[in-house]
PDB file of all heavy atoms in Angstrom:
ATOM      1  N   GLY A  26     155.075 -55.599   7.924  1.00 82.00           N
ATOM      2  CA  GLY A  26     153.957 -55.251   7.064  1.00 82.00           C
ATOM      3  C   GLY A  26     152.778 -56.184   7.201  1.00 82.00           C
ATOM      4  O   GLY A  26     151.772 -55.989   6.533  1.00 82.00           O
ATOM      5  N   THR A  27     152.876 -57.218   8.046  1.00 93.00           N
ATOM      6  CA  THR A  27     151.775 -58.163   8.147  1.00 93.00           C
ATOM      7  C   THR A  27     150.652 -57.615   9.012  1.00 93.00           C
ATOM      8  O   THR A  27     150.874 -56.847   9.955  1.00 93.00           O
ATOM      9  CB  THR A  27     152.249 -59.508   8.723  1.00 93.00           C
ATOM     10  OG1 THR A  27     152.862 -59.278   9.988  1.00 93.00           O
ATOM     11  CG2 THR A  27     153.227 -60.192   7.781  1.00 93.00           C
ATOM     12  N   LEU A  28     149.439 -58.030   8.693  1.00 96.00           N
ATOM     13  CA  LEU A  28     148.239 -57.634   9.430  1.00 96.00           C
ATOM     14  C   LEU A  28     147.655 -58.864  10.096  1.00 96.00           C
ATOM     15  O   LEU A  28     147.803 -59.989   9.612  1.00 96.00           O
ATOM     16  CB  LEU A  28     147.206 -57.020   8.490  1.00 96.00           C
ATOM     17  CG  LEU A  28     147.689 -55.953   7.504  1.00 96.00           C
ATOM     18  CD1 LEU A  28     146.545 -55.517   6.603  1.00 96.00           C
ATOM     19  CD2 LEU A  28     148.282 -54.759   8.237  1.00 96.00           C
ATOM     20  N   LEU A  29     146.954 -58.653  11.199  1.00 97.00           N
ATOM     21  CA  LEU A  29     146.266 -59.742  11.884  1.00 97.00           C
ATOM     22  C   LEU A  29     144.782 -59.444  11.914  1.00 97.00           C
ATOM     23  O   LEU A  29     144.364 -58.361  12.331  1.00 97.00           O
ATOM     24  CB  LEU A  29     146.787 -59.897  13.318  1.00 97.00           C
ATOM     25  CG  LEU A  29     146.043 -60.920  14.187  1.00 97.00           C
ATOM     26  CD1 LEU A  29     146.246 -62.339  13.650  1.00 97.00           C
ATOM     27  CD2 LEU A  29     146.504 -60.819  15.642  1.00 97.00           C
ATOM     28  N   ALA A  30     143.989 -60.407  11.459  1.00 98.00           N
ATOM     29  CA  ALA A  30     142.537 -60.299  11.506  1.00 98.00           C
ATOM     30  C   ALA A  30     141.995 -61.425  12.374  1.00 98.00           C
ATOM     31  O   ALA A  30     142.371 -62.585  12.205  1.00 98.00           O
ATOM     32  CB  ALA A  30     141.945 -60.395  10.097  1.00 98.00           C
ATOM     33  N   LEU A  43     147.700 -61.673   7.382  1.00 96.00           N
ATOM     34  CA  LEU A  43     147.544 -61.188   6.015  1.00 96.00           C
ATOM     35  C   LEU A  43     148.735 -60.347   5.591  1.00 96.00           C
ATOM     36  O   LEU A  43     149.315 -59.602   6.388  1.00 96.00           O
ATOM     37  CB  LEU A  43     146.285 -60.317   5.891  1.00 96.00           C
ATOM     38  CG  LEU A  43     144.974 -60.844   6.475  1.00 96.00           C
ATOM     39  CD1 LEU A  43     143.898 -59.785   6.321  1.00 96.00           C
ATOM     40  CD2 LEU A  43     144.561 -62.136   5.787  1.00 96.00           C
ATOM     41  N   ALA A  44     149.053 -60.432   4.307  1.00 95.00           N
ATOM     42  CA  ALA A  44     149.951 -59.460   3.700  1.00 95.00           C
ATOM     43  C   ALA A  44     149.124 -58.229   3.322  1.00 95.00           C
ATOM     44  O   ALA A  44     147.907 -58.329   3.124  1.00 95.00           O
ATOM     45  CB  ALA A  44     150.616 -60.056   2.459  1.00 95.00           C
ATOM     46  N   PRO A  45     149.730 -57.058   3.205  1.00 94.00           N
ATOM     47  CA  PRO A  45     148.974 -55.849   2.860  1.00 94.00           C
ATOM     48  C   PRO A  45     148.283 -55.920   1.501  1.00 94.00           C
ATOM     49  O   PRO A  45     147.374 -55.132   1.242  1.00 94.00           O
ATOM     50  CB  PRO A  45     150.039 -54.748   2.877  1.00 94.00           C
ATOM     51  CG  PRO A  45     151.109 -55.268   3.763  1.00 94.00           C
ATOM     52  CD  PRO A  45     151.137 -56.742   3.523  1.00 94.00           C
ATOM     53  N   ASP A  46     148.719 -56.862   0.628  1.00 95.00           N
ATOM     54  CA  ASP A  46     148.053 -56.982  -0.667  1.00 95.00           C
ATOM     55  C   ASP A  46     146.838 -57.905  -0.609  1.00 95.00           C
ATOM     56  O   ASP A  46     146.233 -58.213  -1.625  1.00 95.00           O
ATOM     57  CB  ASP A  46     149.037 -57.477  -1.734  1.00 95.00           C
ATOM     58  CG  ASP A  46     149.489 -58.923  -1.515  1.00 95.00           C
ATOM     59  OD1 ASP A  46     149.119 -59.532  -0.479  1.00 95.00           O
ATOM     60  OD2 ASP A  46     150.201 -59.448  -2.381  1.00 95.00           O
ATOM     61  N   GLY A  47     146.464 -58.366   0.611  1.00 96.00           N
ATOM     62  CA  GLY A  47     145.290 -59.203   0.776  1.00 96.00           C
ATOM     63  C   GLY A  47     145.551 -60.694   0.732  1.00 96.00           C
ATOM     64  O   GLY A  47     144.625 -61.492   0.866  1.00 96.00           O
ATOM     65  N   THR A  48     146.809 -61.095   0.588  1.00 96.00           N
ATOM     66  CA  THR A  48     147.148 -62.515   0.579  1.00 96.00           C
ATOM     67  C   THR A  48     147.079 -63.079   1.992  1.00 96.00           C
ATOM     68  O   THR A  48     147.629 -62.482   2.932  1.00 96.00           O
ATOM     69  CB  THR A  48     148.555 -62.739   0.018  1.00 96.00           C
ATOM     70  OG1 THR A  48     148.611 -62.224  -1.307  1.00 96.00           O
ATOM     71  CG2 THR A  48     148.904 -64.220   0.004  1.00 96.00           C
ATOM     72  N   VAL A  49     146.401 -64.222   2.155  1.00 97.00           N
ATOM     73  CA  VAL A  49     146.360 -64.899   3.448  1.00 97.00           C
ATOM     74  C   VAL A  49     147.647 -65.702   3.603  1.00 97.00           C
ATOM     75  O   VAL A  49     147.911 -66.631   2.837  1.00 97.00           O
ATOM     76  CB  VAL A  49     145.138 -65.832   3.560  1.00 97.00           C
ATOM     77  CG1 VAL A  49     145.150 -66.560   4.907  1.00 97.00           C
ATOM     78  CG2 VAL A  49     143.841 -65.044   3.402  1.00 97.00           C
ATOM     79  N   HIS A  94     149.175 -53.921  11.932  1.00 96.00           N
ATOM     80  CA  HIS A  94     147.845 -53.540  12.408  1.00 96.00           C
ATOM     81  C   HIS A  94     147.098 -54.793  12.810  1.00 96.00           C
ATOM     82  O   HIS A  94     147.287 -55.860  12.218  1.00 96.00           O
ATOM     83  CB  HIS A  94     147.063 -52.791  11.319  1.00 96.00           C
ATOM     84  CG  HIS A  94     145.668 -52.418  11.751  1.00 96.00           C
ATOM     85  ND1 HIS A  94     145.422 -51.403  12.645  1.00 96.00           N
ATOM     86  CD2 HIS A  94     144.464 -52.949  11.434  1.00 96.00           C
ATOM     87  CE1 HIS A  94     144.112 -51.310  12.843  1.00 96.00           C
ATOM     88  NE2 HIS A  94     143.516 -52.241  12.129  1.00 96.00           N
ATOM     89  N   VAL A  95     146.245 -54.659  13.827  1.00 97.00           N
ATOM     90  CA  VAL A  95     145.403 -55.761  14.290  1.00 97.00           C
ATOM     91  C   VAL A  95     143.956 -55.299  14.293  1.00 97.00           C
ATOM     92  O   VAL A  95     143.634 -54.235  14.848  1.00 97.00           O
ATOM     93  CB  VAL A  95     145.794 -56.215  15.712  1.00 97.00           C
ATOM     94  CG1 VAL A  95     144.813 -57.274  16.228  1.00 97.00           C
ATOM     95  CG2 VAL A  95     147.219 -56.752  15.741  1.00 97.00           C
ATOM     96  N   THR A  96     143.097 -56.085  13.672  1.00 98.00           N
ATOM     97  CA  THR A  96     141.655 -55.886  13.759  1.00 98.00           C
ATOM     98  C   THR A  96     141.060 -57.105  14.433  1.00 98.00           C
ATOM     99  O   THR A  96     141.213 -58.229  13.945  1.00 98.00           O
ATOM    100  CB  THR A  96     141.014 -55.709  12.379  1.00 98.00           C
ATOM    101  OG1 THR A  96     141.495 -54.498  11.790  1.00 98.00           O
ATOM    102  CG2 THR A  96     139.497 -55.637  12.490  1.00 98.00           C
ATOM    103  N   ARG A 135     130.871 -56.561   7.217  1.00 97.00           N
ATOM    104  CA  ARG A 135     131.891 -56.250   6.209  1.00 97.00           C
ATOM    105  C   ARG A 135     132.083 -57.400   5.227  1.00 97.00           C
ATOM    106  O   ARG A 135     132.405 -57.164   4.046  1.00 97.00           O
ATOM    107  CB  ARG A 135     133.220 -55.913   6.910  1.00 97.00           C
ATOM    108  CG  ARG A 135     134.289 -55.388   5.952  1.00 97.00           C
ATOM    109  CD  ARG A 135     133.876 -54.088   5.313  1.00 97.00           C
ATOM    110  NE  ARG A 135     134.861 -53.593   4.365  1.00 97.00           N
ATOM    111  CZ  ARG A 135     134.856 -53.869   3.066  1.00 97.00           C
ATOM    112  NH1 ARG A 135     133.923 -54.676   2.565  1.00 97.00           N
ATOM    113  NH2 ARG A 135     135.772 -53.362   2.259  1.00 97.00           N
ATOM    114  N   PRO A 141     132.797 -50.440   2.949  1.00 93.00           N
ATOM    115  CA  PRO A 141     132.302 -50.305   4.329  1.00 93.00           C
ATOM    116  C   PRO A 141     131.101 -49.369   4.430  1.00 93.00           C
ATOM    117  O   PRO A 141     131.165 -48.282   5.008  1.00 93.00           O
ATOM    118  CB  PRO A 141     133.524 -49.769   5.085  1.00 93.00           C
ATOM    119  CG  PRO A 141     134.334 -49.078   4.055  1.00 93.00           C
ATOM    120  CD  PRO A 141     134.138 -49.854   2.788  1.00 93.00           C
ATOM    121  N   LEU A 322     136.632 -63.313   6.991  1.00 97.00           N
ATOM    122  CA  LEU A 322     136.847 -62.500   5.796  1.00 97.00           C
ATOM    123  C   LEU A 322     136.505 -61.049   6.099  1.00 97.00           C
ATOM    124  O   LEU A 322     137.243 -60.135   5.712  1.00 97.00           O
ATOM    125  CB  LEU A 322     135.989 -63.013   4.636  1.00 97.00           C
ATOM    126  CG  LEU A 322     135.866 -62.073   3.434  1.00 97.00           C
ATOM    127  CD1 LEU A 322     137.223 -61.826   2.793  1.00 97.00           C
ATOM    128  CD2 LEU A 322     134.876 -62.620   2.408  1.00 97.00           C
ATOM    129  N   GLY A 323     135.383 -60.826   6.778  1.00 97.00           N
ATOM    130  CA  GLY A 323     135.001 -59.462   7.125  1.00 97.00           C
ATOM    131  C   GLY A 323     136.023 -58.799   8.031  1.00 97.00           C
ATOM    132  O   GLY A 323     136.342 -57.618   7.867  1.00 97.00           O
ATOM    133  N   ALA A 324     136.553 -59.561   8.997  1.00 98.00           N
ATOM    134  CA  ALA A 324     137.600 -59.006   9.869  1.00 98.00           C
ATOM    135  C   ALA A 324     138.830 -58.633   9.055  1.00 98.00           C
ATOM    136  O   ALA A 324     139.459 -57.594   9.282  1.00 98.00           O
ATOM    137  CB  ALA A 324     137.955 -60.022  10.955  1.00 98.00           C
ATOM    138  N   GLY A 325     139.177 -59.476   8.075  1.00 98.00           N
ATOM    139  CA  GLY A 325     140.315 -59.174   7.212  1.00 98.00           C
ATOM    140  C   GLY A 325     140.082 -57.948   6.359  1.00 98.00           C
ATOM    141  O   GLY A 325     140.984 -57.115   6.188  1.00 98.00           O
ATOM    142  N   LEU A 326     138.882 -57.809   5.828  1.00 97.00           N
ATOM    143  CA  LEU A 326     138.561 -56.630   5.021  1.00 97.00           C
ATOM    144  C   LEU A 326     138.606 -55.358   5.867  1.00 97.00           C
ATOM    145  O   LEU A 326     139.080 -54.307   5.412  1.00 97.00           O
ATOM    146  CB  LEU A 326     137.188 -56.795   4.371  1.00 97.00           C
ATOM    147  CG  LEU A 326     137.098 -57.866   3.278  1.00 97.00           C
ATOM    148  CD1 LEU A 326     135.646 -58.124   2.891  1.00 97.00           C
ATOM    149  CD2 LEU A 326     137.905 -57.463   2.043  1.00 97.00           C
ATOM    150  N   LEU A 327     138.128 -55.449   7.104  1.00 97.00           N
ATOM    151  CA  LEU A 327     138.228 -54.297   8.003  1.00 97.00           C
ATOM    152  C   LEU A 327     139.685 -53.951   8.283  1.00 97.00           C
ATOM    153  O   LEU A 327     140.052 -52.772   8.336  1.00 97.00           O
ATOM    154  CB  LEU A 327     137.493 -54.592   9.314  1.00 97.00           C
ATOM    155  CG  LEU A 327     135.967 -54.561   9.253  1.00 97.00           C
ATOM    156  CD1 LEU A 327     135.374 -55.116  10.547  1.00 97.00           C
ATOM    157  CD2 LEU A 327     135.460 -53.139   9.007  1.00 97.00           C
ATOM    158  N   ALA A 328     140.523 -54.973   8.455  1.00 97.00           N
ATOM    159  CA  ALA A 328     141.945 -54.721   8.682  1.00 97.00           C
ATOM    160  C   ALA A 328     142.560 -53.991   7.495  1.00 97.00           C
ATOM    161  O   ALA A 328     143.345 -53.039   7.663  1.00 97.00           O
ATOM    162  CB  ALA A 328     142.677 -56.035   8.943  1.00 97.00           C
ATOM    163  N   LEU A 329     142.222 -54.425   6.285  1.00 96.00           N
ATOM    164  CA  LEU A 329     142.734 -53.754   5.086  1.00 96.00           C
ATOM    165  C   LEU A 329     142.213 -52.323   4.987  1.00 96.00           C
ATOM    166  O   LEU A 329     142.948 -51.404   4.624  1.00 96.00           O
ATOM    167  CB  LEU A 329     142.347 -54.555   3.842  1.00 96.00           C
ATOM    168  CG  LEU A 329     142.984 -55.947   3.707  1.00 96.00           C
ATOM    169  CD1 LEU A 329     142.384 -56.683   2.508  1.00 96.00           C
ATOM    170  CD2 LEU A 329     144.496 -55.856   3.571  1.00 96.00           C
ATOM    171  N   ASP A 330     140.914 -52.130   5.313  1.00 95.00           N
ATOM    172  CA  ASP A 330     140.336 -50.785   5.313  1.00 95.00           C
ATOM    173  C   ASP A 330     141.108 -49.878   6.271  1.00 95.00           C
ATOM    174  O   ASP A 330     141.479 -48.745   5.923  1.00 95.00           O
ATOM    175  CB  ASP A 330     138.870 -50.816   5.762  1.00 95.00           C
ATOM    176  CG  ASP A 330     137.946 -51.543   4.794  1.00 95.00           C
ATOM    177  OD1 ASP A 330     138.309 -51.693   3.617  1.00 95.00           O
ATOM    178  OD2 ASP A 330     136.861 -51.965   5.242  1.00 95.00           O
ATOM    179  N   GLU A 331     141.308 -50.364   7.479  1.00 95.00           N
ATOM    180  CA  GLU A 331     141.901 -49.552   8.535  1.00 95.00           C
ATOM    181  C   GLU A 331     143.388 -49.285   8.290  1.00 95.00           C
ATOM    182  O   GLU A 331     143.912 -48.245   8.701  1.00 95.00           O
ATOM    183  CB  GLU A 331     141.678 -50.239   9.890  1.00 95.00           C
ATOM    184  CG  GLU A 331     140.207 -50.242  10.307  1.00 95.00           C
ATOM    185  CD  GLU A 331     139.850 -51.313  11.328  1.00 95.00           C
ATOM    186  OE1 GLU A 331     140.754 -52.011  11.811  1.00 95.00           O
ATOM    187  OE2 GLU A 331     138.641 -51.442  11.633  1.00 95.00           O
ATOM    188  N   TRP A 332     144.056 -50.213   7.625  1.00 94.00           N
ATOM    189  CA  TRP A 332     145.466 -50.045   7.316  1.00 94.00           C
ATOM    190  C   TRP A 332     145.675 -49.165   6.101  1.00 94.00           C
ATOM    191  O   TRP A 332     146.767 -48.629   5.884  1.00 94.00           O
ATOM    192  CB  TRP A 332     146.117 -51.412   7.103  1.00 94.00           C
ATOM    193  CG  TRP A 332     147.579 -51.367   6.777  1.00 94.00           C
ATOM    194  CD1 TRP A 332     148.189 -51.804   5.636  1.00 94.00           C
ATOM    195  CD2 TRP A 332     148.628 -50.855   7.606  1.00 94.00           C
ATOM    196  NE1 TRP A 332     149.543 -51.598   5.695  1.00 94.00           N
ATOM    197  CE2 TRP A 332     149.845 -51.011   6.904  1.00 94.00           C
ATOM    198  CE3 TRP A 332     148.652 -50.267   8.878  1.00 94.00           C
ATOM    199  CZ2 TRP A 332     151.055 -50.609   7.437  1.00 94.00           C
ATOM    200  CZ3 TRP A 332     149.873 -49.861   9.403  1.00 94.00           C
ATOM    201  CH2 TRP A 332     151.057 -50.040   8.684  1.00 94.00           C
ATOM    202  N   GLY A 333     144.620 -48.962   5.304  1.00 91.00           N
ATOM    203  CA  GLY A 333     144.762 -48.202   4.072  1.00 91.00           C
ATOM    204  C   GLY A 333     145.486 -48.999   3.019  1.00 91.00           C
ATOM    205  O   GLY A 333     146.411 -48.498   2.363  1.00 91.00           O
ATOM    206  N   ALA A 334     145.071 -50.243   2.835  1.00 89.00           N
ATOM    207  CA  ALA A 334     145.763 -51.153   1.920  1.00 89.00           C
ATOM    208  C   ALA A 334     145.601 -50.712   0.466  1.00 89.00           C
ATOM    209  O   ALA A 334     144.718 -49.930   0.121  1.00 89.00           O
ATOM    210  CB  ALA A 334     145.240 -52.570   2.099  1.00 89.00           C
ATOM    211  N   GLU A 335     146.460 -51.249  -0.366  1.00 86.00           N
ATOM    212  CA  GLU A 335     146.502 -50.879  -1.775  1.00 86.00           C
ATOM    213  C   GLU A 335     145.248 -51.340  -2.512  1.00 86.00           C
ATOM    214  O   GLU A 335     144.584 -52.300  -2.100  1.00 86.00           O
ATOM    215  CB  GLU A 335     147.733 -51.513  -2.431  1.00 86.00           C
ATOM    216  CG  GLU A 335     147.722 -53.042  -2.392  1.00 86.00           C
ATOM    217  CD  GLU A 335     149.046 -53.638  -2.824  1.00 86.00           C
ATOM    218  OE1 GLU A 335     150.063 -53.357  -2.165  1.00 86.00           O
ATOM    219  OE2 GLU A 335     149.042 -54.381  -3.816  1.00 86.00           O
ATOM    220  N   PRO A 336     144.889 -50.668  -3.613  1.00 85.00           N
ATOM    221  CA  PRO A 336     143.740 -51.081  -4.416  1.00 85.00           C
ATOM    222  C   PRO A 336     143.895 -52.530  -4.887  1.00 85.00           C
ATOM    223  O   PRO A 336     144.995 -52.960  -5.237  1.00 85.00           O
ATOM    224  CB  PRO A 336     143.757 -50.104  -5.593  1.00 85.00           C
ATOM    225  CG  PRO A 336     144.483 -48.902  -5.087  1.00 85.00           C
ATOM    226  CD  PRO A 336     145.522 -49.431  -4.143  1.00 85.00           C
ATOM    227  N   GLY A 337     142.800 -53.241  -4.876  1.00 93.00           N
ATOM    228  CA  GLY A 337     142.826 -54.633  -5.314  1.00 93.00           C
ATOM    229  C   GLY A 337     143.052 -55.624  -4.198  1.00 93.00           C
ATOM    230  O   GLY A 337     142.842 -56.826  -4.372  1.00 93.00           O
ATOM    231  N   SER A 338     143.493 -55.149  -3.018  1.00 96.00           N
ATOM    232  CA  SER A 338     143.778 -56.076  -1.916  1.00 96.00           C
ATOM    233  C   SER A 338     142.501 -56.725  -1.393  1.00 96.00           C
ATOM    234  O   SER A 338     142.502 -57.917  -1.051  1.00 96.00           O
ATOM    235  CB  SER A 338     144.511 -55.364  -0.789  1.00 96.00           C
ATOM    236  OG  SER A 338     143.748 -54.266  -0.299  1.00 96.00           O
ATOM    237  N   ALA A 339     141.406 -55.952  -1.339  1.00 95.00           N
ATOM    238  CA  ALA A 339     140.146 -56.517  -0.846  1.00 95.00           C
ATOM    239  C   ALA A 339     139.649 -57.630  -1.763  1.00 95.00           C
ATOM    240  O   ALA A 339     139.204 -58.681  -1.298  1.00 95.00           O
ATOM    241  CB  ALA A 339     139.098 -55.419  -0.711  1.00 95.00           C
ATOM    242  N   GLU A 340     139.739 -57.395  -3.080  1.00 95.00           N
ATOM    243  CA  GLU A 340     139.295 -58.414  -4.034  1.00 95.00           C
ATOM    244  C   GLU A 340     140.166 -59.662  -3.932  1.00 95.00           C
ATOM    245  O   GLU A 340     139.680 -60.791  -4.019  1.00 95.00           O
ATOM    246  CB  GLU A 340     139.347 -57.863  -5.459  1.00 95.00           C
ATOM    247  CG  GLU A 340     138.310 -56.790  -5.757  1.00 95.00           C
ATOM    248  CD  GLU A 340     138.642 -55.432  -5.165  1.00 95.00           C
ATOM    249  OE1 GLU A 340     139.779 -55.248  -4.643  1.00 95.00           O
ATOM    250  OE2 GLU A 340     137.771 -54.549  -5.199  1.00 95.00           O
ATOM    251  N   ARG A 341     141.470 -59.461  -3.726  1.00 95.00           N
ATOM    252  CA  ARG A 341     142.366 -60.606  -3.586  1.00 95.00           C
ATOM    253  C   ARG A 341     142.020 -61.420  -2.342  1.00 95.00           C
ATOM    254  O   ARG A 341     141.983 -62.645  -2.370  1.00 95.00           O
ATOM    255  CB  ARG A 341     143.815 -60.132  -3.532  1.00 95.00           C
ATOM    256  CG  ARG A 341     144.836 -61.283  -3.497  1.00 95.00           C
ATOM    257  CD  ARG A 341     146.262 -60.768  -3.587  1.00 95.00           C
ATOM    258  NE  ARG A 341     146.531 -60.187  -4.911  1.00 95.00           N
ATOM    259  CZ  ARG A 341     146.655 -58.882  -5.153  1.00 95.00           C
ATOM    260  NH1 ARG A 341     146.529 -58.013  -4.164  1.00 95.00           N
ATOM    261  NH2 ARG A 341     146.897 -58.442  -6.365  1.00 95.00           N
ATOM    262  N   LEU A 342     141.756 -60.729  -1.240  1.00 97.00           N
ATOM    263  CA  LEU A 342     141.397 -61.432  -0.010  1.00 97.00           C
ATOM    264  C   LEU A 342     140.073 -62.168  -0.172  1.00 97.00           C
ATOM    265  O   LEU A 342     139.950 -63.340   0.204  1.00 97.00           O
ATOM    266  CB  LEU A 342     141.299 -60.428   1.156  1.00 97.00           C
ATOM    267  CG  LEU A 342     140.854 -61.008   2.500  1.00 97.00           C
ATOM    268  CD1 LEU A 342     141.823 -62.078   2.986  1.00 97.00           C
ATOM    269  CD2 LEU A 342     140.710 -59.899   3.538  1.00 97.00           C
ATOM    270  N   ARG A 343     139.087 -61.504  -0.754  1.00 95.00           N
ATOM    271  CA  ARG A 343     137.768 -62.124  -0.921  1.00 95.00           C
ATOM    272  C   ARG A 343     137.866 -63.385  -1.773  1.00 95.00           C
ATOM    273  O   ARG A 343     137.157 -64.365  -1.536  1.00 95.00           O
ATOM    274  CB  ARG A 343     136.800 -61.121  -1.535  1.00 95.00           C
ATOM    275  CG  ARG A 343     135.337 -61.541  -1.465  1.00 95.00           C
ATOM    276  CD  ARG A 343     134.425 -60.452  -1.999  1.00 95.00           C
ATOM    277  NE  ARG A 343     134.318 -59.312  -1.113  1.00 95.00           N
ATOM    278  CZ  ARG A 343     133.501 -59.250  -0.062  1.00 95.00           C
ATOM    279  NH1 ARG A 343     132.755 -60.297   0.233  1.00 95.00           N
ATOM    280  NH2 ARG A 343     133.439 -58.167   0.685  1.00 95.00           N
ATOM    281  N   GLN A 345     140.019 -65.586  -1.733  1.00 94.00           N
ATOM    282  CA  GLN A 345     140.616 -66.722  -1.016  1.00 94.00           C
ATOM    283  C   GLN A 345     139.667 -67.373  -0.019  1.00 94.00           C
ATOM    284  O   GLN A 345     140.034 -68.339   0.656  1.00 94.00           O
ATOM    285  CB  GLN A 345     141.882 -66.238  -0.286  1.00 94.00           C
ATOM    286  CG  GLN A 345     142.976 -65.809  -1.246  1.00 94.00           C
ATOM    287  CD  GLN A 345     144.115 -65.108  -0.529  1.00 94.00           C
ATOM    288  OE1 GLN A 345     145.029 -65.726   0.004  1.00 94.00           O
ATOM    289  NE2 GLN A 345     144.037 -63.773  -0.498  1.00 94.00           N
TER     290      GLN A 345
END
Side-chain angles (χ1 to χ4, degrees):
T27 57
L28 312 177
L29 174 66
L43 312 176
D46 68 355
T48 301
V49 178
H94 178 74
V95 174
T96 295
R135 188 63 182 92
L322 166 62
L326 291 169
L327 286 170
L329 294 174
D330 294 339
E331 292 159 5
W332 180 242
E335 62 190 61
S338 58
E340 291 76 9
R341 185 174 292 107
L342 177 60
R343 193 176 288 277
Q345 294 170 84

